[in-house]
Amino acid sequence: MGLAYYYHQRLVLLAVVAFLCAGLFPQALGKGHGGAVNPAVAGICSRTPFPEVCKSTAGRHASKYPVIDNLAVLNMQVEAFSKRTAQARQHVAKSARTIPPAQKQALTFCDTMYMNTQDTIGAAQRAITFKDTSTAKIMLQLAVQDFDSCDRPFTQAGIPNPMGKFDKELNQMANNCMTLANMI
């Protein structure tokens, strides 16, 4: 019984340690279950105009950064902003297949504006790399103007804008980016 019992106990102990590690390490690394956000990201996001948007979008990218500081969270939010703009363009393409011609023309205009937004976000990302916050803020403001313009043809034609939800969230993300740029 001595040697077999000893090995059995060690095996049970190793299983318990493995079970605990599997449950605890993901939270320690900021990848917890249920959408837990890295506390450092949450703290920085709490100082933005739209902290919940910041946490839910920037927080997804935290595992890519070894150090979480204002610059890292700005990069996370800009990356999320870029991805959301690409999703808006995909939504335009889907929506354009099933809507009346007047809305289709307005959506084509939106697609152009979102494409411009993607270009200016790219310029902002390059400026952030060089810690040129003035240029980054200008590019982010231009991005806001681009997607804000999307609503104009819908308003003029008196028709609903199917991109309203995207435009609202993109505006919030852009404002968060500009606030974060002021923090570095």
Side-chain angles (χ1 to χ4, degrees), residues 63-101:
S63 63
K64 298 177 187 176
Y65 295 87
V67 175
I68 304 297
D69 58 9
N70 295 342
L71 181 60
V73 175
L74 172 61
N75 280 309
M76 290 176 213
Q77 185 68 82
V78 170
E79 183 178 347
F81 183 34
S82 177
K83 287 180 179 182
R84 190 64 175 158
T85 303
Q87 290 170 350
R89 288 195 72 203
Q90 290 172 350
H91 187 73
V92 164
K94 280 186 204 173
S95 297
R97 294 183 214 139
T98 61
I99 61 171

Side-chain angles (χ1 to χ4, degrees), residues 62-139:
S63 63
K64 298 177 187 176
Y65 295 87
V67 175
I68 304 297
D69 58 9
N70 295 342
L71 181 60
V73 175
L74 172 61
N75 280 309
M76 290 176 213
Q77 185 68 82
V78 170
E79 183 178 347
F81 183 34
S82 177
K83 287 180 179 182
R84 190 64 175 158
T85 303
Q87 290 170 350
R89 288 195 72 203
Q90 290 172 350
H91 187 73
V92 164
K94 280 186 204 173
S95 297
R97 294 183 214 139
T98 61
I99 61 171
Q103 280 185 311
K104 188 176 246 179
Q105 186 176 5
L107 275 177
T108 300
F109 178 74
C110 285
D111 189 48
T112 301
M113 292 298 99
Y114 294 137
M115 189 170 51
N116 291 345
T117 299
Q118 287 179 304
D119 290 342
T120 55
I121 292 170
Q125 287 173 312
R126 289 186 293 282
I128 292 165
T129 300
F130 294 105
K131 295 186 180 171
D132 180 358
T133 56
S134 297
T135 300
K137 284 188 267 187
I138 290 168
M139 293 297 113

Side-chain angles (χ1 to χ4, degrees), residues 33 50 61 63 91:
H33 304 292
F50 303 98
H61 304 281
S63 63
H91 187 73

Side-chain angles (χ1 to χ4, degrees), residues 29-71:
L29 296 173
K31 299 177 187 174
H33 304 292
V37 176
N38 179 303
V41 172
I44 293 168
C45 284
S46 71
R47 300 188 325 243
T48 65
F50 303 98
E52 292 307 313
V53 170
C54 181
K55 287 188 289 188
S56 69
T57 57
R60 296 177 188 163
H61 304 281
S63 63
K64 298 177 187 176
Y65 295 87
V67 175
I68 304 297
D69 58 9
N70 295 342
L71 181 60

